[in-house]
Amino acid sequence: MAKAPKQKVAKVMGEFKRRTLKSSNGQRVTSPAQAKAIALSAGGETVVLLKSDVGLADAAITHAVEERLEEATGESFAGKVVWATSHSHSGFANYTSNTVLYLGLGLKRDVVADQVVEDLVTVAQAALGGMQPARVGIASNAMFDQE
């Protein structure tokens, strides 16, 4: 009996990812990207900045993303992945391992946590694969706002 909800969540998450999910009225669900990533490299160090439209970040998910990126690239990402969220109250959050938050967010569902990791790793790998040389500059205007 416990398998049916897991299969349903996996099916819905898969349809959403493939952009084939339909609402109850039969119309296709269209949404902007739920996660984005930027990879930056300087001085031989690479970091990945992740942003997703969910309720909160979770250290266990961040560490899982770091481990998966290391497996995929051979480069250590320990402490080099930053995950920011929109803190949306309309998004799901039953992927957190923080039991204190279960009351408001619901019990952790491994199938959801695994999918969040998968999605974050996917956008992180795309960012790493799309890195291009760039320059960052700083400017100053001493005449700006002298009051």
Side-chain angles (χ1 to χ4, degrees), residues 14 23 31 34 75 90 98-99 101 112 114-115 118 126 129 140 147:
S23 68
S31 298
Q34 299 291 309
E75 180 180 345
S90 64
N98 186 334
T99 57
L101 299 175
V112 175
D114 293 345
Q115 188 65 56
E118 183 65 34
S140 175
E147 291 182 36

Side-chain angles (χ1 to χ4, degrees), residues 15 20 27 33 44 55 69 73 76 83 88 90 92 101 103 111 113 126 139 147:
E15 288 176 0
T20 59
Q27 292 189 348
L69 291 176
T73 65
S76 174
W83 181 22
S88 169
S90 64
F92 62 93
L101 299 175
L103 179 62
V111 68
E147 291 182 36

Side-chain angles (χ1 to χ4, degrees), residues 115-129:
Q115 188 65 56
V116 171
V117 170
E118 183 65 34
D119 290 348
L120 292 175
V121 167
T122 298
V123 296
Q125 287 178 318
L128 289 166

